[in-house]
Amino acid sequence: MTAETNTRTIEIDVLRYDPDSGAPPRYQTYTVPFQHDTSVLVGLQYIKDHLDGTLTFRWSCRMAICGSCGTMINGIPQLSCHTFLRDYWPKKLRIDPLEHFPIIKDLAIDQTDFLNKLDSVKPYLIPKQEKPLSEGAYLQTPKQMEQYYNYSQCINCLLCYAACPQYGLTPTFTGPAALALLHRYNADSRDVGWTARSDVLNSEDGVWRCTLVGYCSEVCPKNVDPAHAINQNKVNSTLDYFGVLKLLSTVGLGK
Amino acid sequence: MQVITCDVVVVGGGGSGLRAAIAIAESDPKLTVALVSKVVPMRSHTVAAEGGAAGVIRGDDSLDNHFNDTVSGGDWLCDQDAVQYFVEHCVEELVQLEHWGCPWSRKDDGNINVRFFGGMTVQRTWFAADKSGFHILHTLFQTSIKYPGIQRYDEYFVADLILEDGRVRGVLAIEVATGEIVLFEAKAVILGTGGAGRVYRQNTNAGIVTGDGMGLAYRHGAKLRDMEFVQYHPTCLPGSGILMTEGCRGEGGILTNKDGYRYLQDYALGPLDPWPRPKAMELGPRDRLSQAFWHEDQKGNTFQTPLGSAVNLDLRHLGEKKILERLPLITEAARVFAGVDPVTDPIPVRPAVHYTMGGIYANMTETEVPGLFAAGECSSVGIHGANRLGSNSLVEIIVFGKVAGERAAAYARTVKDGSSAGVRQQAEESASRLLALLKNDKGERVAKLRDEMGDAMEAGVGIYRQASGMKTAIDKIAELRARYRAGIALDDHSRSFNTEWLTTIELGFMLEVAEAMAHSAYNRKESRGAHVRLDEYKTRDDEHFLQHSLATYTGEGPPAISYQPVTITKSQPRTRSYGGAGKQAVMT
């Protein structure tokens, strides 16, 4: 246990940007004590509490489920609560705001573009017809659930957008998390919203913008595999173009 | 100052706030709803709830069972009319979530599956693996996008309520990104702001769970009820307090001490066999299990970790397949945050603060302030009593979130517009006070006071309490409030995304909520549910304390504590017991 109670120190370079001052972004170095179980987030909190109250970053659940604390850690998009200082010591580590998003202040980025894209995919169940609550739940077998379950695990942490080179080049791209969510509803046996969502899916900024780099799936902390969702939908989009999907869906296939 | 006018403001984008907003939009699409949240809704702490939500669907279960489990679980401090309404509406709301897409775990035939939870007579807990709160929150958030009447204000921090002519008239908020102060003028306000677990040092709660709504309502004359009842969840990671769901035990996990002994059998939760059994051993209620840990710790039967003493939560006998299927989130959390793989090793756990049973006193979500409604953990509608049963709160947020939405909508339709002059003037005065906090550079650091508060509450108002310890906590909180008034020095005086400023405002709420907790506890001279005393008040005293406590704000001084009768309809108080012979359970 001695190794675990030992306190060491590590240097952290953090990108600083204050929109009120108008000064260009710069790096600031902090020296932070840490133990075996100190996450990068706890390191940032140490700075905020004890060294510099101006350092700004988002966090909340500190257990990798709320999706607030994504940052670039040594250039890789990661959740700061889910990454540990021990893995970088004795070298320095560098923390930047998530790539491809405008910076509001320090590590806090502007998420508006993503939230608009989330809206655009109609991320809610579109049933064939409304079923009264008194009739109870829909039946859905574990096998049917498997078709979409993985894609329902997204915590909207935006790491995949920071990883996606296409989103960096073409910010109009709907992007990995939103397209994975679109697929989550399309693949749900209770949903018939394919047509309502097909404009977004089939458009140039839909699945066809993806060049299958796959880095989105690599950085995803929840193994959602947006790359798979998107490329599966290139097939669906093609079938749709040739009218095949409609034929398949009438006999219950295509989910 | 920017002014936004709407019919109803919903404060908080968690489960209760989202459900309320949807209820308003569905009951009257013409009403305008401002959903104001200090985080983007899917970051709200509902997201971290794990185990599930109670709803009677099995043939061998009944509403009476759910009622009786809840009332006895709450040690008869529940308002039984509220509990009755609650149990009658759970399933409807859970089905509604299913119709909106929530991926509840299923049986092979496609029907909803249910699992055991502590203190419940039969399997009643709907679950989505061990990410039930996550799926409920994302389902509600994504569904809310359908309704054009719901206008979201993400990352707007509500810092004050505005009352005029004896009724609520709006809220004052800080737009986090810019620091601009915005007045939302409204006919009705719903608080769905969650609990206050962060007033304690070691807790399962997200950083945002700072009692804002409780503080807001309390300052403006609403009473805080039953605040002494703070739930310690028995199975949390030492240090971080990260939750290992009760679902672990619902699926058959066991608790052992340093000798591998299932110690719960020594604390009126046994006998050990037949096992597993409902409402016995590891399927006992949270208050009793946390209390048992305390005794084991006193006896030296726990083991030391670098972050505090612990016992073992052992899942190994469930097998890898079941663990990964039913408990994937906590498996990953144990691996990453504790360095323990539950498939091969027991998880070290200890109790941590989890939930506030009390909150803003509300009769079916209506507070004493006209036009002000409260739902979910910030409220006390009376269903939890002195101890909440696991899986009742995730249904509470949807059942009473909907009630709050419908009632606020009805109220907003009847109430007339008032004059804006007084409202605007109050808003200006409140804004000046907020800006004074922002400019202050003399005094102490916010983290110092926050940590001292957390330690004082753990020490004095913890699992076990006594007069002397509670008095120490009371004095400490009063001192901290005085130091807070003397000034918190900020490093950051800028307007944009100033989280140091927001944290300082949150600390103001937390200190007042903590004070209400400590005084309510000190004055309850009995032991009931999660409030257990080591001094001369070791037993329940129905003659004097079968009553709700009420804390009334008095400004700089301590709260005034008064009492209010408990509504009892069909279950007369009797001895609250768990364990016993019971029948063996078949796990689903």
Side-chain angles (χ1 to χ4, degrees):
Chain A
M1 286 292 171
T2 48
E4 298 191 8
T5 49
N6 273 351
T7 299
R8 294 169 278 176
T9 58
I10 189 168
E11 286 193 335
I12 305 179
D13 290 341
V14 189
L15 187 107
R16 304 299 313 275
Y17 173 69
D18 175 9
D20 294 3
S21 80
R26 66 192 163 87
Y27 285 99
Q28 187 166 354
T29 307
Y30 299 96
T31 303
V32 174
F34 74 100
Q35 297 179 334
H36 183 76
D37 65 338
T38 307
S39 64
V40 172
L41 171 62
V42 171
L44 290 170
Q45 288 169 330
Y46 178 88
I47 298 169
K48 178 100 184 165
D49 285 353
H50 302 287
L51 307 178
D52 183 353
T54 68
L55 182 66
T56 300
F57 49 94
R58 289 192 184 92
W59 70 281
S60 185
C61 78
R62 50 80 173 106
M63 55 183 285
I65 192 72
C66 79
S68 301
C69 70
T71 51
M72 307 298 289
I73 302 174
N74 279 358
I76 297 171
Q78 294 180 82
L79 298 178
S80 69
C81 73
H82 209 237
T83 311
F84 294 86
L85 291 174
R86 62 175 186 250
D87 296 330
Y88 298 90
W89 186 83
K91 291 186 180 151
K92 268 183 158 188
L93 97 133
R94 196 185 76 239
I95 308 180
D96 292 275
L98 283 180
E99 199 89 16
H100 304 150
F101 291 95
I103 305 174
I104 302 177
K105 181 174 175 178
D106 295 346
L107 302 176
I109 50 96
D110 185 345
Q111 322 169 65
T112 315
D113 182 54
F114 168 72
L115 292 168
N116 290 337
K117 283 171 176 162
L118 206 62
D119 282 15
S120 77
V121 303
K122 300 191 166 68
Y124 38 80
L125 206 73
I126 303 177
K128 199 165 186 178
Q129 61 190 67
E130 292 290 337
K131 176 171 159 157
L133 294 180
S134 56
E135 287 178 19
Y138 293 93
L139 283 179
Q140 185 169 64
T141 63
K143 202 173 165 207
Q144 288 173 316
M145 193 185 273
E146 217 174 90
Q147 299 301 309
Y148 71 88
Y149 192 63
N150 224 31
Y151 307 111
S152 73
Q153 304 295 312
C154 172
I155 61 172
N156 302 166
C157 65
L158 311 185
L159 300 192
C160 56
Y161 284 76
C164 176
Q166 278 305 93
Y167 181 62
L169 289 169
T170 318
T172 49
F173 176 36
T174 306
L179 287 169
L181 189 63
L182 182 154
H183 181 61
R184 173 255 175 274
Y185 281 99
N186 275 354
D188 191 317
S189 59
R190 299 166 291 185
D191 183 275
V192 295
W194 168 271
T195 315
R197 300 184 191 102
S198 61
D199 281 356
V200 174
L201 186 132
N202 292 333
S203 81
E204 266 186 45
D205 285 322
V207 291
W208 298 103
R209 185 71 71 195
C210 165
T211 53
L212 196 46
V213 174
Y215 193 30
C216 55
S217 294
E218 217 174 291
V219 301
C220 177
K222 296 290 158 186
N223 303 313
V224 171
D225 203 354
H228 187 259
I230 290 170
N231 287 284
Q232 201 173 323
N233 278 293
K234 287 180 183 168
V235 177
N236 289 341
S237 180
T238 310
L239 294 174
D240 191 29
Y241 182 77
F242 291 109
V244 182
L245 200 72
K246 206 164 247 173
L247 284 173
L248 286 175
S249 65
T250 56
V251 290
L253 300 172
K255 285 279 184 201
Chain B
M1 182 183 299
Q2 191 192 348
V3 179
I4 293 168
T5 308
C6 58
D7 291 306
V8 186
V9 172
V10 178
V11 185
S16 58
L18 286 165
R19 185 67 189 87
I22 293 171
I24 299 165
E26 292 210 319
S27 72
D28 188 345
K30 288 195 293 295
L31 291 176
T32 51
V33 184
L35 181 61
V36 185
S37 171
K38 65 179 177 178
V39 292
V40 183
M42 87 288 269
R43 319 293 185 209
S44 308
H45 188 54
T46 302
V47 82
E50 295 171 355
V56 171
I57 49 166
R58 281 171 60 103
D60 58 353
D61 200 3
S62 69
L63 296 180
D64 275 349
N65 277 344
H66 192 188
F67 176 95
N68 288 324
D69 289 345
T70 300
V71 170
S72 63
D75 220 349
W76 278 273
L77 203 70
C78 308
D79 284 328
Q80 296 180 12
D81 50 350
V83 176
Q84 187 65 37
Y85 180 88
F86 170 67
V87 300
E88 285 171 2
H89 289 81
C90 290
V91 169
E92 178 183 289
E93 276 302 302
L94 293 168
V95 169
Q96 177 66 81
L97 279 178
E98 196 275 339
H99 287 192
W100 285 335
C102 187
W104 297 118
S105 294
R106 308 278 178 154
K107 297 189 278 200
D108 287 341
D109 65 3
N111 280 302
I112 304 290
N113 201 0
V114 280
R115 63 163 48 130
F116 267 118
F117 242 61
M120 299 287 194
T121 304
V122 292
Q123 290 98 322
R124 184 181 295 143
T125 298
W126 300 41
F127 60 101
D130 60 352
K131 300 183 182 183
S132 307
F134 164 82
H135 285 298
I136 289 173
L137 184 66
H138 280 252
T139 299
L140 286 169
F141 172 67
Q142 290 160 13
T143 301
S144 76
I145 290 170
K146 272 199 305 201
Y147 300 92
I150 302 173
Q151 180 69 45
R152 280 205 334 263
Y153 295 88
D154 296 343
E155 296 189 329
Y156 279 66
F157 181 101
V158 172
D160 207 355
L161 283 179
I162 308 291
L163 272 63
E164 178 83 350
D165 304 327
R167 63 183 169 102
V168 79
R169 294 292 304 279
V171 305
L172 196 71
I174 298 168
E175 182 185 17
V176 176
T178 62
E180 291 307 315
I181 295 178
V182 181
L183 169 65
F184 290 83
E185 274 195 73
K187 293 169 180 159
V189 173
I190 298 173
L191 298 173
T193 52
R198 283 264 155 184
V199 306
Y200 286 77
R201 189 69 178 262
Q202 199 167 115
N203 61 76
T204 66
N205 290 184
I208 54 176
V209 187
T210 51
D212 303 4
M214 293 179 187
L216 286 168
Y218 179 52
R219 280 180 196 172
H220 286 281
K223 295 183 184 75
L224 296 183
R225 187 166 79 162
D226 295 339
M227 292 301 286
E228 62 272 44
F229 299 103
V230 175
Q231 180 164 80
Y232 275 77
H233 194 293
T235 60
C236 311
L237 296 182
S240 66
I242 288 172
L243 176 67
M244 296 288 114
T245 174
E246 187 167 313
C248 293
R249 287 170 283 122
E251 297 293 350
I254 57 169
L255 285 168
T256 61
N257 67 15
K258 75 173 181 357
D259 303 316
Y261 175 70
R262 287 176 64 193
Y263 59 92
L264 293 175
Q265 61 191 292
D266 296 347
Y267 301 96
L269 288 154
L272 188 58
D273 294 312
W275 179 79
R277 248 177 326 152
K279 299 173 76 167
M281 293 297 293
E282 286 82 3
L283 295 176
R286 291 175 180 173
D287 55 344
R288 295 285 167 86
L289 264 62
S290 291
Q291 289 153 19
F293 173 90
W294 186 91
H295 287 288
E296 284 295 288
D297 205 31
Q298 295 291 305
K299 291 179 191 168
N301 291 340
T302 57
F303 55 88
Q304 291 304 314
T305 77
L307 300 158
S309 54
V311 291
N312 287 311
L313 174 61
D314 198 342
L315 307 179
R316 291 174 295 179
H317 54 286
L318 303 181
E320 183 168 13
K321 184 172 175 289
K322 189 165 189 180
I323 291 174
L324 295 180
E325 179 201 317
R326 300 286 178 94
L327 303 163
L329 174 71
I330 66 95
T331 301
E332 213 245 353
R335 286 172 179 165
V336 172
F337 298 109
V340 171
D341 185 347
V343 174
T344 55
D345 289 292
I347 312 163
V349 292
R350 57 173 292 119
V353 163
H354 184 56
Y355 190 85
T356 44
M357 264 73 74
I360 304 157
Y361 165 49
N363 181 7
M364 290 297 287
T365 75
E366 292 178 21
T367 75
E368 294 167 298
V369 177
L372 183 66
F373 300 78
E377 192 176 346
C378 73
S379 73
S380 169
V381 295
I383 64 166
H384 302 310
N387 173 63
R388 174 176 72 83
L389 290 189
S391 77
N392 269 352
S393 66
L394 278 181
V395 226
E396 177 188 20
I397 60 177
I398 47 178
V399 168
F400 289 103
K402 183 184 181 196
V403 172
E406 289 177 346
R407 295 203 173 197
Y411 176 88
R413 276 194 298 268
T414 58
V415 76
K416 290 202 166 46
D417 287 330
S419 145
S420 285
V423 172
R424 307 249 165 133
Q425 191 191 331
Q426 271 195 56
E428 292 293 346
E429 287 165 11
S430 182
S432 312
R433 288 192 293 273
L434 293 171
L435 291 172
L437 283 178
L438 173 67
K439 291 189 186 105
N440 190 47
D441 56 6
K442 288 186 186 63
E444 300 180 81
R445 293 189 78 83
V446 66
K448 186 167 191 323
L449 270 68
R450 181 198 68 207
D451 290 349
E452 287 184 36
M453 170 190 66
D455 289 338
M457 292 300 286
E458 295 277 2
V461 200
I463 296 175
Y464 276 94
R465 299 148 179 202
Q466 50 194 329
S468 56
M470 287 186 280
K471 186 68 175 54
T472 306
I474 282 171
D475 293 343
K476 183 69 188 183
I477 301 295
E479 173 207 311
L480 291 170
R481 281 191 71 194
R483 284 161 60 189
Y484 182 86
R485 284 193 297 274
I488 298 294
L490 299 195
D491 292 341
D492 193 347
H493 305 290
S494 68
R495 293 293 281 265
S496 303
F497 223 109
N498 188 334
T499 53
E500 196 186 30
W501 181 27
L502 303 182
T503 306
T504 302
I505 300 167
E506 287 172 340
L507 179 64
F509 295 133
M510 284 201 285
L511 285 169
E512 289 170 16
V513 170
E515 192 171 46
M517 288 173 173
H519 282 267
S520 302
Y522 184 78
N523 283 283
R524 184 171 285 278
K525 295 184 170 71
E526 65 157 355
S527 291
R528 183 187 298 269
H531 173 75
V532 280
R533 297 180 60 139
L534 291 165
D535 49 22
E536 65 261 49
Y537 307 111
K538 287 190 184 67
T539 56
R540 199 174 83 191
D541 177 2
D542 286 340
E543 191 187 331
H544 299 101
F545 286 101
L546 184 58
Q547 299 195 82
H548 297 293
S549 68
L550 295 166
T552 306
Y553 188 71
T554 65
E556 291 184 9
I561 303 295
S562 57
Y563 293 90
Q564 174 195 51
V566 173
T567 304
I568 290 176
T569 57
K570 61 186 187 188
S571 174
Q572 290 304 317
R574 55 178 189 274
T575 306
R576 179 173 173 239
S577 55
Y578 293 94
K583 68 173 194 311
Q584 187 155 5
V586 179
M587 305 303 277
T588 44

